[in-house]
Amino acid sequence: MADNEGSILMGMIWMAVISLLLFWLPLLGPLLAGIVGGRTAGGVGAGLLAAVLPALALSGLLFLMGTALTGLPVIGLIAGAGVFVLIAVQMVPLLIGAFIGGLLT
C-alpha cells in the first residue's frame, strides 16, 4: 500500500453505487457500502463525512426547492428537515460501516 490518502468524493460514489446495487439487503447492503466507502475515503472521519454529506446536500437542496416553489421558507424548512430525518434513520448501518471501513485503512 503505497498511497493511503483516500478521497471523500470517491467514498461517496462507492457508497451510493453499492447501496443502490444492494438495496434488496436491508441492513447488510448499506453496511457493506459503508465499509467500502469508508475504506475508500481514507479514514474514520473522512468515511463518516462521506456518509453524511449527501444527506445534508439533499436536505439543503430540498429546502431551497421547497422555498422557491412555495415562497415560504418555513415550508422549505419542514420539507428539508423531514427528508433529513428519513435519510438519517435509514443511514445508521451506512454510518456503522463507514466507521468500520475507516478503521480498516
Side-chain angles (χ1 to χ4, degrees):
M1 291 194 284
D3 186 16
N4 199 12
E5 282 185 27
S7 167
I8 293 175
L9 180 63
M10 287 305 297
M12 287 190 301
I13 292 171
W14 273 109
M15 284 183 197
V17 169
I18 294 173
S19 291
L20 287 175
L21 291 175
L22 297 178
F23 72 93
W24 50 277
L25 295 170
L27 292 175
L28 192 60
L31 184 68
L32 291 174
I35 290 172
V36 172
R39 186 163 169 82
T40 304
V44 174
L48 293 175
L49 189 63
V52 172
L53 268 180
L56 292 175
L58 184 61
S59 299
L61 180 68
L62 198 59
F63 166 71
L64 291 175
M65 297 307 277
T67 301
L69 289 174
T70 62
L72 300 170
V74 174
I75 301 297
L77 179 67
I78 291 170
V83 165
F84 182 75
V85 167
L86 286 175
I87 292 172
V89 167
Q90 294 179 356
M91 69 185 235
V92 169
L94 188 70
L95 288 171
I96 293 170
F99 183 78
I100 293 170
L103 290 176
L104 294 176
T105 56

